[in-house]
């Protein structure tokens, strides 16, 4: 990997208002990276960067907590945008840079080549190349920022959510503590428990959020915009087997419109695999506040806040 010059900016200051910091649920042991001790000039402001990976110029943006301490290791969250999009749009749509969701986390928004991630038939790069980019990106982030190496996470939507699953199914997934795809298009994981998916360890924490009336990535599976997609219940069943889950409990709320399933998996660990289904939600980021992805499918706010659910889920897990 060859490092190229950083492009820092303050274009997205408007998406980083200061809210009260969330309370940390438990104290955890940390594993600090070599980036600890380096001064960062623009905490609380999204900055823009580039690196060379597989001979190609790639880009990403970084949002540090406004109270960033160069000597304190922080959890790291990678957020992968959907197709025909960029990291900036995902940041604005999810509001994950706002301190109410990430006051104690570094959030990074990588950009896919041609506005997409590998795995779909419209993707412009191979799965191997995008996975190498993730590996190179993690190396650069560890070197530049004070990252808690035991608390690295990935989330994403649609094509980006599907790529989050692709990471989880690869050896590079072993670098992460937990995964949370939303409305994921699982093109690379449509051939059963072991067909196309070899997680680095088991159990591997996974949370998925999906709309019951998603017209782009159908809950019942079938032919999607970028290839064949598994039915979400079937895909969850594969992950339940991969994680050696033994039982599940469903909690229905909002007059039966929201269904939260929690599995108990290997070693009796509860909640390693979780799923939220919102029956009347389409292909968008679940939020109690209006966002652009909801507007794009002619919908408004829904019952649950995906960004909060996902961050709370991440807080439960560290990498062994």
């Amino acid at each position: 990997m060859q490092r190229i010059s950083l492009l820092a900016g303050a274009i997205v200051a408007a998406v980083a208002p200061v809210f009260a910091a969330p309370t940390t649920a438990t104290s955890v042991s940390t594993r600090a990276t070599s980036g600890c001790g380096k001064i960062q000039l623009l905490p609380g402001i999204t900055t823009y960067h580039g690196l060379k990976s597989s001979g190609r110029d790639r880009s990403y943006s970084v949002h540090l907590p406004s109270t960033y301490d160069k000597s304190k290791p922080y959890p790291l969250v990678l957020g992968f945008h959907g197709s025909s999009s960029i990291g900036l749009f995902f940041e604005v749509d999810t509001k994950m840079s706002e301190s109410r969701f990430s006051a104690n986390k570094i959030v990074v928004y990588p950009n896919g080549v041609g506005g997409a991630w590998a795995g779909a038939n419209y993707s412009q790069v191979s799965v191997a190349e995008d996975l190498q980019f993730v590996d190179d990106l993690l190396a650069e982030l560890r070197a530049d920022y004070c990252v808690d190496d035991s608390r690295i996470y990935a989330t994403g939507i649609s094509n980006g959510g599907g790529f989050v699953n692709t990471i989880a199914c690869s050896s590079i997934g072993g670098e992460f503590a937990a995964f949370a795809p939303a409305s994921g298009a699982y093109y690379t994981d449509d051939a059963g428990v072991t067909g196309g998916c070899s997680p680095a360890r088991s159990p591997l924490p996974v949370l998925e959020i999906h709309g019951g009336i998603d017209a782009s990535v159908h809950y019942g599976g079938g032919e999607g915009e970028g290839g064949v997609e598994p039915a979400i219940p079937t895909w969850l069943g594969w992950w339940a087997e991969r994680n050696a889950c033994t039982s599940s409990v469903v909690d229905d709320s909002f007059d039966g419109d929201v269904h939260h399933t929690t599995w108990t998996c290997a070693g009796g660990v509860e909640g390693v695999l979780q799923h939220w289904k919102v029956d009347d939600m389409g292909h968008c980021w679940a939020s109690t506040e209006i966002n652009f992805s909801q507007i794009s499918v002619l919908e408004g706010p829904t019952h649950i806040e995906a960004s909060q659910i996902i961050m709370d889920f991440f807080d439960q897990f560290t990498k062994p």
Side-chain angles (χ1 to χ4, degrees):
M1 177 185 69
Q2 178 185 349
R3 180 73 182 280
I4 65 176
S5 58
L6 302 180
L7 303 174
I11 299 174
V12 203
V15 301
V18 177
F19 294 82
T23 302
T24 302
T26 57
S27 61
V28 295
S29 59
T30 60
R31 281 178 269 182
T33 61
S34 61
C36 294
K38 293 186 177 180
I39 296 174
Q40 302 299 329
L41 299 178
L42 295 171
I45 302 296
T46 301
T47 58
Y48 298 83
H49 308 261
L51 64 80
K52 184 82 75 174
S53 178
S54 300
R56 191 189 301 269
D57 291 333
R58 303 296 298 260
S59 62
Y60 62 96
S61 54
V62 178
H63 188 275
L64 302 177
S66 59
T67 57
Y68 181 79
D69 180 343
K70 61 184 176 64
S71 300
K72 173 186 173 182
Y74 287 85
L76 170 66
V77 177
L78 302 189
F80 294 85
H81 61 76
S83 63
S84 302
S85 188
I86 57 175
L88 170 63
F89 296 159
F90 185 67
E91 179 182 20
V92 172
D93 207 50
T94 63
K95 304 180 177 72
M96 285 199 304
S97 290
E98 295 185 4
S99 59
R100 55 175 165 159
F101 299 130
S102 59
N104 65 337
K105 296 178 176 68
I106 298 170
V107 188
V108 173
Y109 305 93
N111 293 308
V113 175
W117 298 101
N121 57 25
Y122 52 74
S123 303
Q124 296 185 19
V125 300
S126 67
V127 168
E129 182 172 335
D130 261 349
L131 288 176
Q132 184 61 53
F133 170 53
V134 172
D135 196 36
D136 292 341
L137 176 59
L138 289 178
E140 182 152 298
L141 295 170
R142 287 167 169 143
D144 288 348
Y145 304 98
C146 195
V147 173
D148 180 352
D149 204 44
S150 67
R151 304 190 67 196
I152 299 175
Y153 309 97
T155 185
I157 188 169
S158 191
N159 166 244
F163 184 61
V164 167
N165 183 73
T166 300
I167 298 171
C169 287
S170 74
S171 59
I172 294 174
E175 301 296 317
F176 293 78
F179 301 87
S183 304
Y186 306 117
Y187 302 122
T188 63
D189 189 12
D190 66 345
V193 175
T194 58
C197 187
S198 301
R201 64 180 185 274
S202 178
L204 189 65
V206 175
L207 178 146
E208 208 267 355
I209 300 173
H210 219 101
I213 58 170
D214 191 323
S216 295
V217 183
H218 302 286
Y219 197 82
E223 189 67 35
E225 296 174 358
V228 176
E229 301 158 344
I232 300 304
T234 301
W235 177 84
L236 289 165
W238 296 340
W239 270 109
E241 190 167 341
R242 291 164 188 161
N243 281 336
C245 300
T246 55
S247 61
S248 63
V249 176
V250 181
D251 178 32
D252 299 323
S253 58
F254 296 98
D255 296 323
D257 189 43
V258 176
H259 316 277
H260 178 209
T261 306
T262 304
W263 281 260
T264 299
C265 302
V269 181
E270 183 178 342
V272 173
L273 179 62
Q274 297 186 35
H275 176 59
W276 290 80
K277 179 187 180 187
V278 182
D279 286 341
D280 65 355
M281 187 178 79
H283 192 65
C284 59
W285 187 263
S287 179
T288 56
E289 303 170 0
I290 192 70
N291 60 37
F292 291 113
S293 63
Q294 293 168 343
I295 294 171
S296 72
V297 293
L298 305 180
E299 294 184 17
T302 189
H303 305 296
I304 63 173
E305 183 58 65
S307 294
Q308 190 64 62
I309 289 171
I310 288 169
M311 293 302 185
D312 289 345
F313 177 73
F314 288 163
D315 286 343
Q316 298 176 48
F317 301 100
T318 58
K319 183 175 66 178

